[in-house]
Amino acid sequence: MSPTVLDEQPLLGCTVAVTADRRREDLAALLRRRGARVVEAPTLKLVPLEDDAELRAATRACIDAPPDYVVATTGRGWRGWISAAEGWGDAPELQAALAKAVVVSRGPKATGAVRASGLREHFSAGSEVSREVLDWLRTQDVRGKRVAVQQYGAVDPTVDCDLAAELRADGVEVLTVPVYRWDPPEDRPAVDRLLEAIEKREVHAVAFTSAPGVAALLEAAEARDAAFGVERLLEALRTDVIAACVGPVCAKPLRDRDVPSVLPERSRLGALVAELCVAVPRRIRREIPAEDGRTLTIQGSAVLVRDEAVLLPPVVAAVLAELAQRPGWVVSRAELLRRVWRSRGSGLATGTANVRDQHIVESTIARLRTALGDDADLVRTVTKRGYRLAVTPSGG
């Protein structure tokens, strides 16, 4: 593909799945702007509790008996708490109560939210890992003290510690502030469709933004397939489908199952997308020199020979991908049927290709040539044998 096309849309022809609920639209928009086809399938639903009686009771408890320490665990959660207090008219009293406390923030996003609310942190953890906050609090001799912990949804014990539970075990009086929680996804069939797409290698990458979201996808795989459980999902993620995680905490459930993941240097959505723009093309892009000096570039469902990219329908793109597996070598109609149609569960006959099956292959080749336009001659028919790309054969 020409540098101009790739510079502007490096994910052209690629399919990326988004599993996040929070900021899903932002992440999907960033990916689409870079040319990706986006599959949205949130594995969990983030439920804000701005009007929840439990949150309001925790807020009043902080006002009536100000804590000695207060922990901001997430930027969004802290902002949600302050916003809810403003809605109830309790913000001035809450601000005054928290100003008396030692404020601790978990990571840069929580730190930014604390400062935006008019407070100043006494300690900021360098990462978004609760263990780092816990270790610092233990140096402060907080036994017998009152500590308010702004909660952040479900805690996966394989990924991080349960800060509130650990502090209680240390003899600390803990007041939890439940700003939001994780619920099951609203569209469970969408999650099942995503699992099937991953297992069939119909997506090139899956973007994860939270450890609970990763765990929920693994649990959905276990529930969906009693025979294989999570193994087919893991095999796809270990081999052909890139797992991209926003940070190391998010990646830990996959790392524990020997699944490699792509991580940005900074735990931000923009950085995650930038990492995908490098990792996915590196994995799937093929540049094949033609016999007459032209270059055929294939990236997912996108193909380009000269200056303009063409997006192919899935089956047409799959046929081209099979021809490109061994550029210049002949691929028979029977092989194309087996690798493209039967592997997708099309229901075609399993024996020797019949007339109807041969027509399906021929019509798909015709669609491919039409899509290539002036470069249709790159797909050659070899009489009584099959088809090949018009390139010098490579490999043995």
Side-chain angles (χ1 to χ4, degrees):
M1 265 176 220
S2 70
T4 301
V5 172
L6 282 183
D7 286 344
E8 294 179 356
Q9 295 189 309
L11 294 176
L12 192 67
C14 305
T15 300
V16 181
V18 171
T19 60
D21 178 39
R22 182 165 66 95
R23 297 195 65 189
R24 181 180 77 221
E25 293 180 358
D26 293 340
L27 179 55
L30 286 172
L31 290 165
R32 290 190 180 104
R33 197 173 300 144
R34 286 152 181 81
R37 172 180 173 265
V38 179
V39 175
E40 298 182 39
T43 56
L44 289 172
K45 180 184 179 184
L46 190 66
V47 181
L49 300 180
E50 283 85 352
D51 298 323
D52 189 84
E54 188 177 356
L55 173 60
R56 190 163 192 179
T59 301
R60 285 308 318 175
C62 283
I63 293 170
D64 295 340
D68 301 296
Y69 292 78
V70 61
V71 180
T73 58
T74 65
R76 183 181 189 275
W78 185 270
R79 289 191 297 272
W81 185 19
I82 301 303
S83 175
E86 288 173 349
W88 301 322
D90 293 334
E93 290 180 284
L94 178 62
Q95 190 86 358
L98 298 181
K100 299 175 183 176
V102 175
V103 180
V104 181
S105 57
R106 190 188 70 156
K109 287 186 279 189
T111 300
V114 166
R115 294 178 181 179
S117 68
L119 298 172
R120 196 76 183 182
E121 78 285 355
H122 293 72
F123 171 76
S124 175
S127 67
E128 296 179 349
V129 178
S130 295
R131 177 67 61 184
E132 190 175 345
V133 172
L134 178 64
D135 290 343
W136 184 83
L137 287 171
R138 283 173 170 167
T139 68
Q140 303 302 300
D141 190 21
V142 293
R143 186 183 302 273
K145 301 289 186 178
R146 181 174 168 84
V147 179
V149 177
Q150 172 249 309
Q151 292 188 308
Y152 52 97
V155 177
D156 184 344
T158 68
V159 174
D160 201 0
C161 71
D162 185 329
L163 181 59
E166 294 276 359
L167 288 172
R168 288 193 179 101
D170 289 347
V172 177
E173 180 188 352
V174 178
L175 171 63
T176 56
V177 182
V179 182
Y180 50 78
R181 66 174 184 269
W182 294 107
D183 276 1
E186 289 185 339
D187 190 353
R188 180 55 186 269
V191 177
D192 289 336
R193 290 192 297 272
L194 172 59
L195 288 168
E196 184 176 356
I198 294 171
E199 292 167 7
K200 289 184 175 181
R201 280 64 169 177
E202 293 174 352
V203 299
H204 300 106
V206 185
F208 298 102
T209 59
S210 72
V214 176
L217 186 68
L218 297 174
E219 291 169 6
E222 293 278 9
R224 173 177 170 267
D225 197 330
F228 291 94
V230 76
E231 287 310 311
R232 292 199 290 201
L233 171 67
L234 294 177
E235 178 61 21
L237 294 174
R238 288 173 184 143
T239 54
D240 301 308
V241 180
I242 294 172
C245 298
V246 75
V249 173
C250 175
K252 191 173 185 303
L254 295 174
R255 189 168 62 248
D256 289 344
R257 293 176 179 260
D258 298 320
V259 174
S261 57
V262 169
L263 301 176
E265 291 186 5
R266 299 176 67 248
S267 297
R268 299 288 186 272
L269 293 188
L272 179 64
V273 172
E275 201 69 31
L276 280 166
C277 287
V278 175
V280 179
R282 180 187 296 155
R283 171 79 64 86
I284 71 170
R285 186 179 302 155
R286 298 286 307 279
E287 293 188 351
I288 305 168
E291 293 171 346
D292 59 0
R294 287 174 291 175
T295 298
L296 176 69
T297 302
I298 304 169
Q299 180 168 290
S301 63
V303 58
L304 188 114
V305 182
R306 302 180 194 273
D307 298 324
E308 186 175 344
V310 176
L311 290 176
L312 303 174
V315 174
V316 178
V319 167
L320 178 58
E322 290 299 333
L323 294 176
Q325 285 294 318
R326 296 179 67 198
W329 291 80
V330 177
V331 182
S332 69
R333 292 178 180 84
E335 279 297 293
L336 287 173
L337 281 167
R338 181 177 64 82
R339 295 178 188 174
V340 176
W341 281 270
R342 289 174 188 142
S343 67
R344 291 167 172 253
S346 66
L348 295 178
T350 57
T352 303
N354 57 35
V355 174
R356 172 178 171 270
D357 292 350
Q358 290 186 23
H359 176 70
I360 289 174
V361 176
E362 291 166 359
S363 64
T364 304
I365 291 290
R367 291 169 65 195
L368 173 57
R369 287 172 172 152
T370 298
L372 290 173
D374 292 341
D375 297 296
D377 62 317
L378 286 172
V379 180
R380 302 283 176 83
T381 299
V382 181
T383 306
K384 296 184 179 180
R385 293 182 60 197
Y387 305 94
R388 74 176 185 90
L389 294 179
V391 301
T392 302
S394 63

